[in-house]
Amino acid sequence: MNKRGSILRRLMLQLVGAAAVLAAILFVLFQSFARQLAIEAQDNTLFASASAILESVSVQQGEVNVDIPYAALSMLGNVSDDRVFYRIGMGAVPLTGYDDLPGKPGADAVSWTDQYRGDDLRMVQVSRALSVAGTLRDVTVVVGQTQGGLAQKLAQISRMAIFIGAIYFVVASLFAYWTARSTVRPLNAVAEAVARRGPLDLRPVTKPVPSEMAPLMVALNAFISRLDRSLTRSEDFIVEAAHRVRTPLATVRAQAEVTLRRVDRQENRNALKQMIRAVDESSRAAGQLLDHAMVAFRTDHLDQQALDLGAIAAEVVERQTPVAALKDITFDVDITAGGGFNGDAILIQNAVTNLIDNAVKYSPQETTITVSVKGNSLKICDQGPGFPAADIDTLTDRFARGTNVGNTVGSGLGLTIAHEVALAHNGALTLSQNPKGTGACVTLSLPS
Amino acid sequence: MRLLLVEDNARLAAAISDMLVLDGHAVDHAGDLATARDFVDTADYDLILLDIMLPDGDGRVFLQGLRKRALDVPVIVLTARSEVSDRVGVLDLGADDYLVKPFDFSELEARVRAVLRRRGGARSNVQRIGDIAFDRLAGTLEVADERIDLRNRELRLFEVFAANPNMIFSKTKLVDRLFSADEDVSENAIEVYVGRLRKHLTGSAVTITTVRGVGYRLSIL
């Protein structure tokens, strides 16, 4: 079968892939949002601290006086062990703190990140105008804090984000698997229903399917009904062909036999006998050819049922007894109970009929045919001319006939049919010489 | 015997009828199922020969109808259908046997005999000839209170003689009755069977006499 990918695998890949992408996006969003929040929280504390310092700047008797309240710096210390730097300046003139701490001249209420003494600092700057000695001067407070606490918090948040992303991914994957399975299930159900059918079951498939599968089912059912029609047509054709061929042959044969009764001249009688022989040969050939076609057809679609070889042999013998009696041939039947196998009843019956028919045909008058069944092995021996030793291996070939058949009418297909039926059932057909004097033995053995 | 032949092919039916009449039977011929039903309703038959494909229906339906009406007349189906499929079907429907066309008349005769024997011969089939009794169904001769089982060919040969005592039959006619047209036999083969019958008839008033240059006949002394 030409397999192009698997729907289940493709669905799984797509759904799980989508889940992974979504989990990654979720992780990134969560992390950046949390980072934003953490930075804002630090900024707020820094602004509060800077504003408190700025509030403490006062002008007394023309002197700028700074009295940094304890709380202004301790609120920063509460957040973490991060180091804090500050600078208070008036215009470009530093008043107190770290003089080299960077600032943003002229700006009020800004926050940014900057490098200072080898560390990343989060910085805020606030400013206010003060009247000093009659002039308005800008007092600026810059507060910076290292970001150790923030990094720690961010690492914690990342771990949380990874955990949430992973949980999301696992849950989404489970749902994906379940969805994929339930999508493919109706397909499998239909496949199983079709595969479980017997060889001759050509009813439409009626299993309920999702609407997306309806076109497939319509196509499948249309195909089944076409197959059914074409099989019925070929079967009808075989039946019709048999009828068309056999009825006129029967007429010719019957008329020839009637005429034979009324004709006395030897040469006319011989001619009529030749006619009858020719009719028999053609009808036998037609029959065997049709049988062979039917056997080939059924071999492809073997109908399996429990069978008993002994019962089939007994039935065939009973049916052939009147014909054998015409030549005073008797059957010696020895059937041991037991055995049993699975096979196609019509094929086995056909094979056994061909073998027993052969035995009757080649037996001289007033002889005995022995039919014995032991388990799943049927042996038929006659007292006829036997198989020619040179041909014994090729007699099951199509249209092969022994060199010693003389005038006996035959098509060369009887043993072929029996052989093919045996092979179709994993059995064997063995030809041998009758151990008791002359005659042929045929053994049909089938596995149990 | 009275037979009903249901067969739509007129020429085949004529040939079969001819043959059966030659063998001493009375034959009615129906070309379709309607006619066949009329015949069955008005007369008693010893046996029906039934074709399957008929212009106004399926012979198997007719057969089913017979069995449903509990008509127990023996039926032999003549079929042109495939030898593999459908054969078992007609037996299940209540046919006694079937023959695949084209058939050998001796096979038809043999099957009719087998069917009638299986049915047990409701009518008496014992024919008295002189001081012997001949049961054609059982295939026995009773000579001087002794029952003799005839072999198949002996039986068929004696049947020919017994049907027309005192009539002379040529060797050729007898060969036709005893052997299939497929078999290569010389006319002298008949002498073996005449010899055996004579041996069986020893001690009775019935014998088979040779009419030199013409044939044989059954004579009652």
Side-chain angles (χ1 to χ4, degrees), chain B residues 170-213:
Chain B
S170 71
K171 281 182 179 179
T172 310
K173 292 275 181 261
L174 296 175
V175 165
D176 284 351
R177 295 297 294 271
L178 242 56
F179 296 91
S180 149
D182 286 342
E183 288 175 277
D184 278 328
V185 283
S186 79
E187 294 190 346
N188 295 330
I190 223 70
E191 289 169 10
V192 177
Y193 297 96
V194 169
R196 287 187 192 170
L197 282 183
R198 277 178 178 153
K199 212 169 146 196
H200 292 320
L201 292 169
T202 313
S204 77
V206 179
T207 188
I208 297 169
T209 47
T210 310
V211 183
R212 197 162 294 280

mmCIF file of all heavy atoms in Angstrom, chain B residues 170-213:
data_model
loop_
_atom_site.group_PDB
_atom_site.id
_atom_site.type_symbol
_atom_site.label_atom_id
_atom_site.label_comp_id
_atom_site.label_asym_id
_atom_site.label_seq_id
_atom_site.Cartn_x
_atom_site.Cartn_y
_atom_site.Cartn_z
ATOM 1 N N SER B 170 -32.625 -57.596 -31.469
ATOM 2 C CA SER B 170 -31.319 -57.826 -32.098
ATOM 3 C C SER B 170 -30.216 -57.483 -31.099
ATOM 4 O O SER B 170 -30.426 -56.728 -30.151
ATOM 5 C CB SER B 170 -31.182 -56.962 -33.347
ATOM 6 O OG SER B 170 -31.036 -55.604 -32.960
ATOM 7 N N LYS B 171 -29.020 -58.046 -31.350
ATOM 8 C CA LYS B 171 -27.879 -57.757 -30.476
ATOM 9 C C LYS B 171 -27.612 -56.251 -30.435
ATOM 10 O O LYS B 171 -27.304 -55.678 -29.380
ATOM 11 C CB LYS B 171 -26.628 -58.476 -30.988
ATOM 12 C CG LYS B 171 -26.573 -59.947 -30.637
ATOM 13 C CD LYS B 171 -25.264 -60.529 -31.150
ATOM 14 C CE LYS B 171 -25.163 -62.012 -30.792
ATOM 15 N NZ LYS B 171 -23.912 -62.585 -31.313
ATOM 16 N N THR B 172 -27.760 -55.625 -31.608
ATOM 17 C CA THR B 172 -27.501 -54.181 -31.686
ATOM 18 C C THR B 172 -28.399 -53.413 -30.728
ATOM 19 O O THR B 172 -27.957 -52.538 -29.978
ATOM 20 C CB THR B 172 -27.748 -53.695 -33.120
ATOM 21 O OG1 THR B 172 -27.037 -54.548 -33.998
ATOM 22 C CG2 THR B 172 -27.280 -52.275 -33.291
ATOM 23 N N LYS B 173 -29.712 -53.725 -30.759
ATOM 24 C CA LYS B 173 -30.659 -53.036 -29.870
ATOM 25 C C LYS B 173 -30.274 -53.240 -28.405
ATOM 26 O O LYS B 173 -30.332 -52.317 -27.593
ATOM 27 C CB LYS B 173 -32.074 -53.584 -30.093
ATOM 28 C CG LYS B 173 -32.648 -53.246 -31.443
ATOM 29 C CD LYS B 173 -33.301 -51.868 -31.420
ATOM 30 C CE LYS B 173 -33.894 -51.547 -32.774
ATOM 31 N NZ LYS B 173 -33.014 -50.679 -33.579
ATOM 32 N N LEU B 174 -29.893 -54.472 -28.118
ATOM 33 C CA LEU B 174 -29.559 -54.772 -26.727
ATOM 34 C C LEU B 174 -28.286 -54.034 -26.288
ATOM 35 O O LEU B 174 -28.209 -53.539 -25.160
ATOM 36 C CB LEU B 174 -29.408 -56.288 -26.534
ATOM 37 C CG LEU B 174 -30.705 -57.065 -26.764
ATOM 38 C CD1 LEU B 174 -30.466 -58.563 -26.678
ATOM 39 C CD2 LEU B 174 -31.775 -56.647 -25.755
ATOM 40 N N VAL B 175 -27.305 -53.941 -27.189
ATOM 41 C CA VAL B 175 -26.084 -53.194 -26.870
ATOM 42 C C VAL B 175 -26.435 -51.735 -26.583
ATOM 43 O O VAL B 175 -25.952 -51.126 -25.627
ATOM 44 C CB VAL B 175 -25.057 -53.294 -28.026
ATOM 45 C CG1 VAL B 175 -23.965 -52.237 -27.875
ATOM 46 C CG2 VAL B 175 -24.443 -54.674 -28.052
ATOM 47 N N ASP B 176 -27.348 -51.173 -27.413
ATOM 48 C CA ASP B 176 -27.773 -49.785 -27.203
ATOM 49 C C ASP B 176 -28.362 -49.594 -25.811
ATOM 50 O O ASP B 176 -28.164 -48.551 -25.184
ATOM 51 C CB ASP B 176 -28.845 -49.396 -28.239
ATOM 52 C CG ASP B 176 -28.234 -49.133 -29.596
ATOM 53 O OD1 ASP B 176 -26.987 -49.090 -29.667
ATOM 54 O OD2 ASP B 176 -28.988 -48.980 -30.570
ATOM 55 N N ARG B 177 -29.129 -50.578 -25.366
ATOM 56 C CA ARG B 177 -29.785 -50.419 -24.074
ATOM 57 C C ARG B 177 -28.819 -50.603 -22.909
ATOM 58 O O ARG B 177 -28.999 -50.018 -21.846
ATOM 59 C CB ARG B 177 -30.931 -51.442 -23.918
ATOM 60 C CG ARG B 177 -32.067 -51.243 -24.884
ATOM 61 C CD ARG B 177 -32.738 -49.896 -24.666
ATOM 62 N NE ARG B 177 -33.419 -49.794 -23.377
ATOM 63 C CZ ARG B 177 -34.674 -50.144 -23.187
ATOM 64 N NH1 ARG B 177 -35.398 -50.620 -24.196
ATOM 65 N NH2 ARG B 177 -35.222 -50.025 -22.000
ATOM 66 N N LEU B 178 -27.797 -51.426 -23.128
ATOM 67 C CA LEU B 178 -26.935 -51.815 -22.015
ATOM 68 C C LEU B 178 -25.681 -50.961 -21.853
ATOM 69 O O LEU B 178 -25.150 -50.824 -20.765
ATOM 70 C CB LEU B 178 -26.520 -53.286 -22.192
ATOM 71 C CG LEU B 178 -26.975 -54.220 -21.075
ATOM 72 C CD1 LEU B 178 -28.472 -54.130 -20.901
ATOM 73 C CD2 LEU B 178 -26.544 -55.645 -21.354
ATOM 74 N N PHE B 179 -25.224 -50.430 -22.987
ATOM 75 C CA PHE B 179 -23.956 -49.703 -22.911
ATOM 76 C C PHE B 179 -24.153 -48.262 -23.346
ATOM 77 O O PHE B 179 -24.985 -47.974 -24.207
ATOM 78 C CB PHE B 179 -22.893 -50.376 -23.789
ATOM 79 C CG PHE B 179 -22.539 -51.763 -23.332
ATOM 80 C CD1 PHE B 179 -23.210 -52.868 -23.831
ATOM 81 C CD2 PHE B 179 -21.546 -51.953 -22.383
ATOM 82 C CE1 PHE B 179 -22.902 -54.144 -23.391
ATOM 83 C CE2 PHE B 179 -21.220 -53.227 -21.955
ATOM 84 C CZ PHE B 179 -21.910 -54.337 -22.455
ATOM 85 N N SER B 180 -23.352 -47.411 -22.779
ATOM 86 C CA SER B 180 -23.404 -46.013 -23.186
ATOM 87 C C SER B 180 -22.783 -45.891 -24.564
ATOM 88 O O SER B 180 -21.940 -46.699 -24.959
ATOM 89 C CB SER B 180 -22.630 -45.178 -22.162
ATOM 90 O OG SER B 180 -22.068 -44.066 -22.789
ATOM 91 N N ALA B 181 -23.229 -44.880 -25.324
ATOM 92 C CA ALA B 181 -22.706 -44.681 -26.669
ATOM 93 C C ALA B 181 -21.210 -44.392 -26.631
ATOM 94 O O ALA B 181 -20.515 -44.545 -27.631
ATOM 95 C CB ALA B 181 -23.447 -43.533 -27.347
ATOM 96 N N ASP B 182 -20.724 -43.962 -25.443
ATOM 97 C CA ASP B 182 -19.296 -43.666 -25.314
ATOM 98 C C ASP B 182 -18.448 -44.928 -25.231
ATOM 99 O O ASP B 182 -17.245 -44.888 -25.430
ATOM 100 C CB ASP B 182 -19.053 -42.858 -24.028
ATOM 101 C CG ASP B 182 -19.531 -41.437 -24.193
ATOM 102 O OD1 ASP B 182 -19.704 -41.014 -25.349
ATOM 103 O OD2 ASP B 182 -19.747 -40.771 -23.175
ATOM 104 N N GLU B 183 -19.095 -46.020 -24.826
ATOM 105 C CA GLU B 183 -18.309 -47.232 -24.604
ATOM 106 C C GLU B 183 -18.092 -47.986 -25.903
ATOM 107 O O GLU B 183 -19.012 -48.147 -26.712
ATOM 108 C CB GLU B 183 -19.028 -48.143 -23.602
ATOM 109 C CG GLU B 183 -18.978 -47.610 -22.189
ATOM 110 C CD GLU B 183 -19.795 -48.456 -21.223
ATOM 111 O OE1 GLU B 183 -21.020 -48.239 -21.157
ATOM 112 O OE2 GLU B 183 -19.232 -49.316 -20.562
ATOM 113 N N ASP B 184 -16.871 -48.443 -26.105
ATOM 114 C CA ASP B 184 -16.554 -49.241 -27.287
ATOM 115 C C ASP B 184 -16.746 -50.707 -26.945
ATOM 116 O O ASP B 184 -15.925 -51.304 -26.277
ATOM 117 C CB ASP B 184 -15.096 -49.005 -27.696
ATOM 118 C CG ASP B 184 -14.959 -47.731 -28.506
ATOM 119 O OD1 ASP B 184 -15.930 -47.404 -29.229
ATOM 120 O OD2 ASP B 184 -13.910 -47.069 -28.405
ATOM 121 N N VAL B 185 -17.855 -51.262 -27.377
ATOM 122 C CA VAL B 185 -18.061 -52.691 -27.105
ATOM 123 C C VAL B 185 -18.494 -53.385 -28.388
ATOM 124 O O VAL B 185 -19.187 -52.803 -29.228
ATOM 125 C CB VAL B 185 -19.147 -52.926 -26.025
ATOM 126 C CG1 VAL B 185 -18.590 -52.649 -24.658
ATOM 127 C CG2 VAL B 185 -20.369 -52.087 -26.299
ATOM 128 N N SER B 186 -18.099 -54.617 -28.496
ATOM 129 C CA SER B 186 -18.564 -55.396 -29.652
ATOM 130 C C SER B 186 -19.916 -56.001 -29.289
ATOM 131 O O SER B 186 -20.271 -56.109 -28.114
ATOM 132 C CB SER B 186 -17.553 -56.493 -29.981
ATOM 133 O OG SER B 186 -17.735 -57.568 -29.091
ATOM 134 N N GLU B 187 -20.663 -56.377 -30.319
ATOM 135 C CA GLU B 187 -22.003 -56.918 -30.050
ATOM 136 C C GLU B 187 -21.933 -58.223 -29.286
ATOM 137 O O GLU B 187 -22.886 -58.607 -28.620
ATOM 138 C CB GLU B 187 -22.745 -57.114 -31.383
ATOM 139 C CG GLU B 187 -23.003 -55.772 -32.039
ATOM 140 C CD GLU B 187 -23.934 -55.885 -33.227
ATOM 141 O OE1 GLU B 187 -24.149 -57.015 -33.687
ATOM 142 O OE2 GLU B 187 -24.431 -54.833 -33.664
ATOM 143 N N ASN B 188 -20.784 -58.878 -29.380
ATOM 144 C CA ASN B 188 -20.673 -60.158 -28.690
ATOM 145 C C ASN B 188 -20.666 -59.994 -27.178
ATOM 146 O O ASN B 188 -20.893 -60.951 -26.452
ATOM 147 C CB ASN B 188 -19.410 -60.892 -29.132
ATOM 148 C CG ASN B 188 -19.507 -61.264 -30.604
ATOM 149 O OD1 ASN B 188 -20.610 -61.484 -31.120
ATOM 150 N ND2 ASN B 188 -18.368 -61.294 -31.285
ATOM 151 N N ALA B 189 -20.415 -58.750 -26.703
ATOM 152 C CA ALA B 189 -20.416 -58.511 -25.264
ATOM 153 C C ALA B 189 -21.762 -58.905 -24.663
ATOM 154 O O ALA B 189 -21.850 -59.285 -23.491
ATOM 155 C CB ALA B 189 -20.116 -57.041 -24.977
ATOM 156 N N ILE B 190 -22.813 -58.839 -25.486
ATOM 157 C CA ILE B 190 -24.157 -59.127 -24.994
ATOM 158 C C ILE B 190 -24.293 -60.608 -24.607
ATOM 159 O O ILE B 190 -25.062 -60.962 -23.720
ATOM 160 C CB ILE B 190 -25.195 -58.702 -26.078
ATOM 161 C CG1 ILE B 190 -26.361 -57.981 -25.416
ATOM 162 C CG2 ILE B 190 -25.712 -59.874 -26.866
ATOM 163 C CD1 ILE B 190 -26.027 -56.652 -24.899
ATOM 164 N N GLU B 191 -23.487 -61.452 -25.301
ATOM 165 C CA GLU B 191 -23.610 -62.899 -25.058
ATOM 166 C C GLU B 191 -23.293 -63.256 -23.612
ATOM 167 O O GLU B 191 -23.926 -64.134 -23.027
ATOM 168 C CB GLU B 191 -22.664 -63.673 -25.993
ATOM 169 C CG GLU B 191 -23.129 -63.630 -27.440
ATOM 170 C CD GLU B 191 -22.074 -64.150 -28.409
ATOM 171 O OE1 GLU B 191 -21.061 -64.714 -27.929
ATOM 172 O OE2 GLU B 191 -22.261 -63.958 -29.616
ATOM 173 N N VAL B 192 -22.330 -62.527 -23.022
ATOM 174 C CA VAL B 192 -21.950 -62.786 -21.631
ATOM 175 C C VAL B 192 -23.162 -62.623 -20.717
ATOM 176 O O VAL B 192 -23.458 -63.478 -19.881
ATOM 177 C CB VAL B 192 -20.845 -61.808 -21.186
ATOM 178 C CG1 VAL B 192 -20.496 -62.023 -19.720
ATOM 179 C CG2 VAL B 192 -19.625 -61.954 -22.069
ATOM 180 N N TYR B 193 -23.907 -61.510 -20.930
ATOM 181 C CA TYR B 193 -25.032 -61.205 -20.042
ATOM 182 C C TYR B 193 -26.206 -62.147 -20.301
ATOM 183 O O TYR B 193 -26.895 -62.559 -19.373
ATOM 184 C CB TYR B 193 -25.436 -59.730 -20.200
ATOM 185 C CG TYR B 193 -24.303 -58.829 -19.774
ATOM 186 C CD1 TYR B 193 -23.405 -58.301 -20.693
ATOM 187 C CD2 TYR B 193 -24.088 -58.581 -18.419
ATOM 188 C CE1 TYR B 193 -22.349 -57.523 -20.297
ATOM 189 C CE2 TYR B 193 -23.023 -57.804 -18.008
ATOM 190 C CZ TYR B 193 -22.150 -57.274 -18.955
ATOM 191 O OH TYR B 193 -21.095 -56.523 -18.542
ATOM 192 N N VAL B 194 -26.429 -62.494 -21.577
ATOM 193 C CA VAL B 194 -27.488 -63.461 -21.881
ATOM 194 C C VAL B 194 -27.156 -64.790 -21.205
ATOM 195 O O VAL B 194 -28.018 -65.427 -20.574
ATOM 196 C CB VAL B 194 -27.638 -63.633 -23.416
ATOM 197 C CG1 VAL B 194 -28.539 -64.817 -23.726
ATOM 198 C CG2 VAL B 194 -28.188 -62.354 -24.032
ATOM 199 N N GLY B 195 -25.875 -65.165 -21.257
ATOM 200 C CA GLY B 195 -25.426 -66.405 -20.624
ATOM 201 C C GLY B 195 -25.712 -66.397 -19.128
ATOM 202 O O GLY B 195 -26.231 -67.370 -18.569
ATOM 203 N N ARG B 196 -25.434 -65.264 -18.484
ATOM 204 C CA ARG B 196 -25.666 -65.188 -17.026
ATOM 205 C C ARG B 196 -27.148 -65.300 -16.695
ATOM 206 O O ARG B 196 -27.529 -65.977 -15.743
ATOM 207 C CB ARG B 196 -25.136 -63.862 -16.487
ATOM 208 C CG ARG B 196 -23.629 -63.820 -16.432
ATOM 209 C CD ARG B 196 -23.245 -62.538 -15.732
ATOM 210 N NE ARG B 196 -21.821 -62.277 -15.870
ATOM 211 C CZ ARG B 196 -21.246 -61.137 -15.528
ATOM 212 N NH1 ARG B 196 -22.005 -60.159 -15.064
ATOM 213 N NH2 ARG B 196 -19.955 -60.965 -15.655
ATOM 214 N N LEU B 197 -27.987 -64.596 -17.507
ATOM 215 C CA LEU B 197 -29.432 -64.643 -17.239
ATOM 216 C C LEU B 197 -29.936 -66.077 -17.411
ATOM 217 O O LEU B 197 -30.750 -66.560 -16.618
ATOM 218 C CB LEU B 197 -30.175 -63.700 -18.184
ATOM 219 C CG LEU B 197 -30.118 -62.214 -17.819
ATOM 220 C CD1 LEU B 197 -30.957 -61.398 -18.807
ATOM 221 C CD2 LEU B 197 -30.645 -61.977 -16.404
ATOM 222 N N ARG B 198 -29.455 -66.750 -18.448
ATOM 223 C CA ARG B 198 -29.889 -68.135 -18.678
ATOM 224 C C ARG B 198 -29.561 -68.993 -17.463
ATOM 225 O O ARG B 198 -30.360 -69.828 -17.051
ATOM 226 C CB ARG B 198 -29.186 -68.701 -19.913
ATOM 227 C CG ARG B 198 -29.879 -68.305 -21.195
ATOM 228 C CD ARG B 198 -29.138 -68.837 -22.394
ATOM 229 N NE ARG B 198 -29.838 -68.493 -23.623
ATOM 230 C CZ ARG B 198 -29.238 -68.356 -24.786
ATOM 231 N NH1 ARG B 198 -27.914 -68.529 -24.885
ATOM 232 N NH2 ARG B 198 -29.935 -68.057 -25.859
ATOM 233 N N LYS B 199 -28.398 -68.751 -16.890
ATOM 234 C CA LYS B 199 -27.973 -69.525 -15.728
ATOM 235 C C LYS B 199 -28.923 -69.259 -14.560
ATOM 236 O O LYS B 199 -29.355 -70.182 -13.867
ATOM 237 C CB LYS B 199 -26.553 -69.121 -15.338
ATOM 238 C CG LYS B 199 -25.744 -70.263 -14.743
ATOM 239 C CD LYS B 199 -24.291 -69.850 -14.637
ATOM 240 C CE LYS B 199 -23.651 -70.468 -13.405
ATOM 241 N NZ LYS B 199 -22.381 -69.794 -13.087
ATOM 242 N N HIS B 200 -29.276 -67.954 -14.363
ATOM 243 C CA HIS B 200 -30.201 -67.608 -13.277
ATOM 244 C C HIS B 200 -31.562 -68.272 -13.489
ATOM 245 O O HIS B 200 -32.231 -68.627 -12.525
ATOM 246 C CB HIS B 200 -30.413 -66.090 -13.211
ATOM 247 C CG HIS B 200 -29.202 -65.325 -12.772
ATOM 248 N ND1 HIS B 200 -28.372 -65.765 -11.775
ATOM 249 C CD2 HIS B 200 -28.686 -64.140 -13.195
ATOM 250 C CE1 HIS B 200 -27.391 -64.892 -11.605
ATOM 251 N NE2 HIS B 200 -27.554 -63.895 -12.484
ATOM 252 N N LEU B 201 -31.971 -68.397 -14.762
ATOM 253 C CA LEU B 201 -33.324 -68.885 -15.057
ATOM 254 C C LEU B 201 -33.404 -70.412 -15.087
ATOM 255 O O LEU B 201 -34.491 -70.965 -15.269
ATOM 256 C CB LEU B 201 -33.796 -68.321 -16.402
ATOM 257 C CG LEU B 201 -34.035 -66.806 -16.427
ATOM 258 C CD1 LEU B 201 -34.245 -66.317 -17.859
ATOM 259 C CD2 LEU B 201 -35.231 -66.440 -15.561
ATOM 260 N N THR B 202 -32.250 -71.069 -14.904
ATOM 261 C CA THR B 202 -32.236 -72.533 -14.928
ATOM 262 C C THR B 202 -33.250 -73.068 -13.920
ATOM 263 O O THR B 202 -33.315 -72.607 -12.785
ATOM 264 C CB THR B 202 -30.831 -73.061 -14.555
ATOM 265 O OG1 THR B 202 -29.873 -72.322 -15.301
ATOM 266 C CG2 THR B 202 -30.703 -74.536 -14.871
ATOM 267 N N GLY B 203 -34.072 -74.017 -14.362
ATOM 268 C CA GLY B 203 -35.030 -74.630 -13.441
ATOM 269 C C GLY B 203 -36.373 -73.952 -13.477
ATOM 270 O O GLY B 203 -37.267 -74.309 -12.727
ATOM 271 N N SER B 204 -36.529 -72.947 -14.337
ATOM 272 C CA SER B 204 -37.843 -72.306 -14.452
ATOM 273 C C SER B 204 -38.406 -72.566 -15.845
ATOM 274 O O SER B 204 -37.716 -73.118 -16.708
ATOM 275 C CB SER B 204 -37.714 -70.809 -14.225
ATOM 276 O OG SER B 204 -37.195 -70.197 -15.382
ATOM 277 N N ALA B 205 -39.648 -72.111 -16.035
ATOM 278 C CA ALA B 205 -40.283 -72.310 -17.333
ATOM 279 C C ALA B 205 -39.916 -71.177 -18.287
ATOM 280 O O ALA B 205 -40.397 -71.130 -19.412
ATOM 281 C CB ALA B 205 -41.795 -72.393 -17.157
ATOM 282 N N VAL B 206 -39.091 -70.249 -17.806
ATOM 283 C CA VAL B 206 -38.752 -69.087 -18.624
ATOM 284 C C VAL B 206 -37.310 -69.228 -19.086
ATOM 285 O O VAL B 206 -36.425 -69.596 -18.305
ATOM 286 C CB VAL B 206 -38.905 -67.793 -17.807
ATOM 287 C CG1 VAL B 206 -38.540 -66.573 -18.645
ATOM 288 C CG2 VAL B 206 -40.325 -67.673 -17.284
ATOM 289 N N THR B 207 -37.088 -68.922 -20.341
ATOM 290 C CA THR B 207 -35.716 -68.974 -20.823
ATOM 291 C C THR B 207 -35.495 -67.956 -21.933
ATOM 292 O O THR B 207 -36.454 -67.415 -22.487
ATOM 293 C CB THR B 207 -35.354 -70.389 -21.309
ATOM 294 O OG1 THR B 207 -33.951 -70.422 -21.599
ATOM 295 C CG2 THR B 207 -36.131 -70.756 -22.559
ATOM 296 N N ILE B 208 -34.242 -67.677 -22.212
ATOM 297 C CA ILE B 208 -33.929 -66.763 -23.312
ATOM 298 C C ILE B 208 -33.445 -67.622 -24.470
ATOM 299 O O ILE B 208 -32.452 -68.348 -24.336
ATOM 300 C CB ILE B 208 -32.867 -65.746 -22.891
ATOM 301 C CG1 ILE B 208 -33.415 -64.877 -21.755
ATOM 302 C CG2 ILE B 208 -32.456 -64.867 -24.073
ATOM 303 C CD1 ILE B 208 -32.371 -64.029 -21.082
ATOM 304 N N THR B 209 -34.145 -67.519 -25.560
ATOM 305 C CA THR B 209 -33.781 -68.361 -26.697
ATOM 306 C C THR B 209 -33.099 -67.522 -27.767
ATOM 307 O O THR B 209 -33.399 -66.345 -27.949
ATOM 308 C CB THR B 209 -35.024 -69.045 -27.306
ATOM 309 O OG1 THR B 209 -36.036 -68.046 -27.446
ATOM 310 C CG2 THR B 209 -35.523 -70.153 -26.419
ATOM 311 N N THR B 210 -32.169 -68.170 -28.450
ATOM 312 C CA THR B 210 -31.467 -67.517 -29.538
ATOM 313 C C THR B 210 -32.242 -67.734 -30.831
ATOM 314 O O THR B 210 -32.625 -68.862 -31.140
ATOM 315 C CB THR B 210 -30.066 -68.119 -29.703
ATOM 316 O OG1 THR B 210 -29.441 -68.139 -28.427
ATOM 317 C CG2 THR B 210 -29.235 -67.318 -30.685
ATOM 318 N N VAL B 211 -32.510 -66.637 -31.538
ATOM 319 C CA VAL B 211 -33.121 -66.761 -32.859
ATOM 320 C C VAL B 211 -31.993 -66.539 -33.853
ATOM 321 O O VAL B 211 -31.505 -65.408 -33.997
ATOM 322 C CB VAL B 211 -34.251 -65.732 -33.064
ATOM 323 C CG1 VAL B 211 -34.915 -65.926 -34.429
ATOM 324 C CG2 VAL B 211 -35.255 -65.806 -31.946
ATOM 325 N N ARG B 212 -31.520 -67.586 -34.447
ATOM 326 C CA ARG B 212 -30.297 -67.531 -35.235
ATOM 327 C C ARG B 212 -30.339 -66.432 -36.297
ATOM 328 O O ARG B 212 -31.312 -66.297 -37.022
ATOM 329 C CB ARG B 212 -30.043 -68.901 -35.900
ATOM 330 C CG ARG B 212 -28.621 -69.073 -36.397
ATOM 331 C CD ARG B 212 -28.277 -70.521 -36.640
ATOM 332 N NE ARG B 212 -28.265 -71.311 -35.392
ATOM 333 C CZ ARG B 212 -27.233 -71.294 -34.542
ATOM 334 N NH1 ARG B 212 -26.174 -70.557 -34.784
ATOM 335 N NH2 ARG B 212 -27.278 -72.032 -33.455
ATOM 336 N N GLY B 213 -29.306 -65.633 -36.295
ATOM 337 C CA GLY B 213 -29.185 -64.576 -37.307
ATOM 338 C C GLY B 213 -30.049 -63.358 -37.017
ATOM 339 O O GLY B 213 -29.959 -62.357 -37.718
#
